[in-house]
Amino acid sequence: MKYISTLLTVVFLMLVTGSGNVQARSTFITIGTGGITGVYYPTGGAISKMVNRKKKEYGIRATVESTGGSVFNINALMAGDLEFGVVQSDRQYQAKEGIADWQDRGPQKDLRSVFSLYLEPVTLVAASDAGIKSIADLKGKRVNIGNPGSGHRQNAIDALEAAGINYEKDLTALSFKASEAAGLLQDRRIDAFFYTVGHPSSSIKEATSGARKVVFADITGIDALLADHPYYMKATVPIKLYPGVLNKKDAQTFGVKATFVTSAKVPDDVVYAITKEVFDNFEDFKTLHPAFTSLSKEGMLKGLSAPIHPGAMKYFKEAGLL
Ligand code: GLU
């Protein structure tokens, strides 16, 4: 008798809460992003918000994880530890080709692109009292180039090399996470830092609103770099978003695009649902972060080098975008 009443209670609770149903249909996905003061983290939040609104329809529950950045995200995605990631377009290209950080591991054949997002200028933030106006002034300085899992570390190395500066010999290169860089600059523990990031970002706001005055230094002498690397493009760092910065003009630099990627192992219906929610509710999506203001649907299909995931492709064809 006791057994039967327990059983009835369980069945009753499952009916009331619908838990039996939801359990069977829920797909949990995690989006790898970057430091919480970057733009990847709120971007992951915005994308998950779009799809979580339709939890009942799709059975997808998306969560966001703060990570070390692009390189970490691609590796975690390929290892099956993440289902999606925000990564720099140059890193997407390198992983697909099996070059740079993927030289030893070879081409990452399961990497798939979903869409691209906003431009990320390689931003060089420098203390004005350190006398740094352009990248050439970094010789002998303490410069944060980024943690090894970040996308920007290689951009910093490429920019320094283009300026004839050996990052191992000509300056003190540090490997802190971008989320720590603004604090270190304000504490006078570093003179400058590189961060490839969309604007505005909380990290750059923090760096430009402290007692120590800062400038965005120009990254010049990059014509050959741009000619040799198809994924790099000219860019500027906008000063209007950061009232505390000392520059009178936007800084000259180069940049990449932030892109949204996944693995061939992630089911088509999951990738389709996310793509559809972002694109069908595009005006809503654009309000979720100021870095999204100038996004266009057509632009979001550019800058992708890994094959487009079939789930995303299905949506793009239906919507007449491809
Ligand atoms: N571009 C940086 C990276 O790939 C992250 C920027 C951000 O978190 O917004 O590591």
Side-chain angles (χ1 to χ4, degrees):
M1 188 59 201
K2 187 151 185 246
Y3 169 74
I4 290 183
S5 75
T6 311
L7 190 68
L8 285 176
T9 311
V10 169
V11 170
F12 175 74
L13 283 175
M14 283 173 77
L15 284 174
V16 168
T17 63
S19 64
N21 227 353
V22 173
Q23 287 290 313
R25 286 193 294 118
S26 280
T27 306
F28 291 86
I29 57 153
T30 305
I31 304 173
T33 59
I36 57 167
T37 52
V39 183
Y40 287 5
Y41 189 72
T43 295
I47 295 171
S48 57
K49 187 172 176 187
M50 302 307 290
V51 71
N52 284 341
R53 294 204 292 208
K54 298 274 184 72
K55 212 164 5 201
K56 287 219 178 83
E57 190 176 321
Y58 297 122
I60 298 173
R61 284 159 187 253
T63 51
V64 173
E65 195 175 300
S66 169
T67 73
S70 292
V71 173
F72 177 94
N73 292 344
I74 291 174
N75 292 337
L77 197 54
M78 295 298 92
D81 296 333
L82 292 172
E83 285 71 38
F84 292 90
V86 188
V87 310
Q88 291 179 197
S89 51
D90 53 332
R91 298 318 211 148
Q92 184 187 139
Y93 176 86
Q94 293 163 352
K96 182 212 162 230
E97 295 294 318
I99 56 173
D101 279 74
W102 295 273
Q103 189 82 49
D104 296 338
R105 267 173 281 198
Q108 303 300 297
K109 297 207 174 71
D110 278 348
L111 186 63
R112 294 291 176 272
S113 56
V114 186
F115 48 74
S116 68
L117 292 144
Y118 52 86
L119 178 73
E120 296 188 271
V122 181
T123 306
L124 175 54
V125 184
S128 123
D129 57 32
I132 301 163
K133 288 209 170 64
S134 92
I135 189 166
D137 303 322
L138 290 181
K139 276 197 182 157
K141 306 288 185 198
R142 295 163 303 169
V143 184
N144 191 48
I145 61 168
N147 56 300
S150 73
H152 46 272
R153 186 180 171 91
Q154 189 63 46
N155 305 144
I157 294 170
D158 287 350
L160 288 164
E161 240 165 51
I165 299 173
N166 182 316
Y167 80 100
E168 287 165 315
K169 293 195 197 122
D170 300 335
L171 47 76
T172 307
L174 298 151
S175 305
F176 291 104
K177 286 185 179 169
S179 55
E180 296 170 89
L184 290 167
L185 190 77
Q186 286 300 328
D187 291 348
R188 298 177 181 273
R189 288 174 57 201
I190 56 172
D191 302 306
F193 69 88
F194 284 92
Y195 194 13
T196 305
V197 68
H199 295 294
S201 97
S202 325
S203 158
I204 309 290
K205 276 191 183 156
E206 186 189 339
T208 52
S209 49
R212 196 179 192 196
K213 291 294 159 213
V214 306
V215 294
F216 297 142
D218 286 319
I219 301 182
T220 46
I222 49 174
D223 289 347
L225 183 72
L226 297 187
D228 289 350
H229 299 87
Y231 45 72
Y232 284 153
M233 57 196 124
K234 277 207 162 135
T236 55
V237 184
I239 56 169
K240 72 167 193 293
L241 300 169
Y242 304 103
V245 77
L246 292 187
N247 301 52
K248 297 269 179 294
K249 283 192 301 195
D250 291 353
Q252 298 302 309
T253 184
F254 63 106
V256 294
K257 274 182 101 175
T259 70
F260 191 55
V261 296
T262 187
S263 156
K265 297 205 172 73
V266 173
D268 291 5
D269 57 343
V270 173
V271 183
Y272 175 83
I274 293 186
T275 313
K276 183 173 168 59
E277 286 315 308
V278 169
F279 279 72
D280 276 0
N281 305 291
F282 198 55
E283 292 311 313
D284 257 15
F285 177 70
K286 281 181 13 181
T287 64
L288 297 181
H289 196 283
F292 301 167
T293 315
S294 51
L295 290 181
S296 73
K297 290 185 181 179
E298 294 71 25
M300 285 169 75
L301 297 180
K302 300 210 175 94
L304 305 172
S305 38
I308 296 179
H309 190 286
M313 189 60 104
K314 182 178 166 212
Y315 175 80
F316 295 144
K317 289 210 167 125
E318 266 175 27
L321 289 163
L322 269 181

